[in-house]
Amino acid sequence: MLDRSLSPVRFARPDDRAVEWAVSAAPVGYPEAVAAMETRAEAIAAGEAGELVWLLEHPPLYTAGVSAKAGDLLDAERFPVFPSGRGGQFTYHGPGQRVAYVMLDLRERGRDVRAFVAALEGWVIDALAAFGVRGEVRPGRVGVWVERKAPGFAREDKIAAIGVKLRKWVSFHGVSLNVEPDLEHFSGIVPCGVTEHGVTSLVDLGLPVTMDEADAALKAAFERVFGPAWSGKAPA
């Protein structure tokens, strides 16, 4: 077991230049979000724009990462299904889930993909700690997990997914944190190819966390891991 809940990995820029932090109030379609991310990532790579973290919600949909297996799509008619260039397998996005698309310039952050993924994990784990939730990572399983125990009962559920892509050392895609999604919507896929574990959310854990509260925890944790952020404008 790997436990980064106490010491998240730092992945700040040497110059400590602040990252733009933007939130979309209305749901954003997946193709539109990908197009906006690709445009921004290209501009960052060309030195024409700064780094950006973009928080949003999607309408209900499934995405298939580069490692997705056709058999893990259990109900192809339920929601729209979009191929995705990110790493990983099938995942669900929908209302009540905070998606954070992370467009960072790894040329300014050490060009270390492993350290970047560890920093993303640590970011989410640190944000969860604000609500008294102990998030953990597991070898061979992508994402952040919560161990649930009661008399005669023990299991592990995923509370956040991670899937990223790099182009010219600029990242896009990112993480998704389950705040209060409809967990039954995950039943149309095998989430991230994992059959022996379930999914959970902050509200499912008995924590009536609002999206604004989750955003505040994510921003505070982001600044501890990646450096300062300033409030900007969402690209769509």
Side-chain angles (χ1 to χ4, degrees):
M1 181 178 74
L2 300 176
D3 181 0
R4 298 197 182 101
S5 60
L6 300 179
S7 55
V9 177
R10 283 281 293 169
F11 204 72
R13 295 172 60 115
D15 61 6
D16 218 28
R17 181 178 176 185
V19 176
E20 185 176 3
W21 183 273
V23 182
S24 286
V28 180
Y30 189 75
E32 292 80 6
V34 171
M37 277 193 290
E38 290 186 340
T39 298
R40 182 61 173 253
E42 188 65 32
I44 294 169
E48 297 168 354
E51 297 173 307
L52 171 68
V53 175
W54 181 20
L55 273 59
L56 54 84
E57 292 175 88
H58 285 304
L61 58 91
Y62 298 128
T63 65
V66 295
S67 301
K69 300 177 178 65
D72 287 345
L73 179 59
L74 306 179
D75 188 352
E77 303 302 319
R78 187 168 193 181
F79 298 126
V81 181
F82 297 97
S84 174
R86 60 159 175 81
Q89 303 185 42
F90 277 103
T91 194
Y92 165 77
H93 294 310
Q97 181 190 74
R98 177 52 86 208
V99 175
Y101 287 135
V102 182
M103 287 150 272
L104 298 182
D105 189 347
L106 269 63
R107 297 170 301 184
E108 301 293 337
R109 297 173 182 268
R111 298 178 187 248
D112 188 331
V113 178
R114 258 180 217 273
F116 175 51
V117 173
L120 292 173
E121 293 168 343
W123 170 31
V124 175
I125 288 169
D126 196 18
L128 289 172
F131 306 107
V133 175
R134 184 182 181 90
E136 298 175 333
V137 295
R138 296 290 187 264
R141 279 193 254 146
V142 178
V144 177
W145 299 80
V146 175
E147 189 172 9
R148 309 179 76 174
K149 290 184 178 180
F153 170 84
R155 76 182 195 199
E156 293 177 352
D157 290 337
K158 177 180 275 193
I159 194 166
I162 297 174
V164 295
K165 183 178 177 64
L166 296 181
R167 184 177 295 159
K168 300 178 183 177
W169 286 104
V170 176
S171 68
F172 53 112
H173 297 282
V175 308
S176 57
L177 172 64
N178 295 333
V179 180
E180 192 181 6
D182 186 336
L183 296 179
E184 201 277 329
H185 288 178
F186 286 87
S187 65
I189 57 171
V190 178
C192 300
V194 178
T195 57
E196 64 270 29
H197 302 286
V199 291
T200 190
S201 69
L202 288 167
V203 171
D204 183 53
L205 293 172
L207 300 166
V209 176
T210 67
M211 194 64 77
D212 286 345
E213 290 169 337
D215 287 352
L218 284 167
K219 187 173 184 182
F222 180 88
E223 293 188 317
R224 287 190 288 271
V225 175
F226 292 96
W230 62 278
S231 296
K233 182 179 179 181

